[in-house]
Amino acid sequence: MDIRPIKQNESQAVGKLMWEVFGEQARIHAAAPHWGSQREAALLCGLYREVEPEGAMLVEEDGQLLGAGFVRRRGEVATLGPLAVAAPGQGIGTALTQALVARAEEWSCLAVRLLQEAWNVGAFALFASQGFAVVDAVARIERSESAAPRLDGARGLEITPYRRDDLAEILALDLRLTGLDRRFDLEEVVRLVARRRGSIAGFLGARGGLLGPVLALDVADLAVLVARHLSEL
């Protein structure tokens, strides 16, 4: 079993693995899929590899892809995921997780974070066995089918295209709300900026067929940002 960096021409194969593994778990647990298509999964994998080549790793044996995962530097914190293995229970996920954490330690990151659905007990057990512990809970919410939010639904909100001069304020807001330094993500993907009384209150990123990250101080502002972006497609 060999663990090595993902090559540029392997993003499609890694995306296919992610799509199949995550899709199967979503079907088993009647959960929403992580991506809308295999192409979106491959696009994300290619983007992650492009931004952090050293943190994009796969596991193979005799030329067969067994697993893949990503770890990325976000200032003093590294974020781990997504991670997928073709055959659970064979130690592949453990070896891959250890390799990714070791890479974060080589970068001198002070902590490693990941986001994991509670219903995926296998993945939860894997990460718990590697020293990860729950420190916070995230609520997943959905809006039922209805009319889209009005573009003027957030009073006093001014939405404009992203300008390079906005970056410093966007990074400060993002760091305050997430605790992460995501400069290399945000400076490439931010498309819209929301301001209220002259100060940035939110932003929206998009690249290719992927939407996000989207962040706002108020949930109504976030909805208007998304509606504005979709209205321009």
Side-chain angles (χ1 to χ4, degrees):
M1 187 169 64
D2 181 39
I3 300 178
R4 62 168 177 80
I6 297 171
K7 299 176 182 177
Q8 185 175 3
N9 63 354
E10 294 174 325
S11 294
Q12 292 296 323
V14 171
K16 182 175 184 292
L17 174 67
M18 294 284 177
W19 169 252
E20 292 175 347
V21 172
F22 276 79
E24 178 63 19
Q25 287 298 314
R27 284 190 292 272
I28 291 173
H29 297 280
H34 283 71
W35 302 285
S37 66
Q38 181 178 315
R39 178 180 176 278
E40 286 185 8
L43 181 64
L44 180 71
C45 293
L47 177 61
Y48 278 11
R49 184 203 166 276
E50 177 184 344
V51 172
E52 194 76 85
E54 294 180 357
M57 308 182 78
L58 61 74
V59 184
E60 66 177 359
E61 189 170 53
D62 298 327
Q64 181 180 2
L65 179 61
L66 302 179
F70 301 86
V71 64
R72 304 180 62 193
R73 281 173 281 197
R74 308 293 183 92
E76 295 181 341
V77 177
T79 55
L80 190 152
L83 183 150
V85 298
Q90 298 183 13
I92 301 169
T94 297
L96 182 56
T97 301
Q98 290 174 348
L100 294 170
V101 171
R103 183 56 50 90
E105 291 174 344
E106 290 174 5
W107 294 333
S108 299
C109 293
L110 301 181
V112 181
R113 291 186 192 173
L114 60 87
L115 183 67
Q116 178 59 55
E117 294 91 350
W119 48 256
N120 192 334
V121 293
F124 221 94
L126 165 65
F127 295 126
S129 73
Q130 298 305 303
F132 288 89
V134 176
V135 295
D136 203 353
V138 178
R140 180 168 184 163
I141 60 176
E142 297 182 2
R143 185 176 66 89
S144 59
E145 292 187 14
S146 60
R150 293 173 50 184
L151 297 183
D152 60 352
R155 182 176 299 176
L157 192 71
E158 179 188 7
I159 298 178
T160 60
Y162 166 72
R163 300 177 305 171
R164 183 68 64 175
D165 292 344
D166 297 325
L167 183 60
E169 193 174 352
I170 287 173
L171 293 175
L173 175 65
D174 188 63
L175 180 63
R176 177 158 63 92
L177 296 184
T178 70
L180 301 175
D181 179 353
R182 302 194 291 179
R183 170 181 290 272
F184 292 106
D185 295 330
L186 300 180
E187 65 183 351
E188 295 296 331
V189 303
V190 173
R191 296 292 177 264
L192 296 174
V193 176
R195 289 183 178 273
R196 177 171 277 108
R197 293 187 291 277
S199 297
I200 291 181
F203 59 84
L204 178 144
R207 183 167 182 168
L210 300 176
L211 175 63
V214 187
L215 182 149
L217 295 173
D218 185 275
V219 67
D221 295 349
L222 187 145
V224 173
L225 270 167
V226 173
R228 169 69 176 271
H229 175 71
L230 295 178
S231 73
E232 296 176 351
L233 296 180

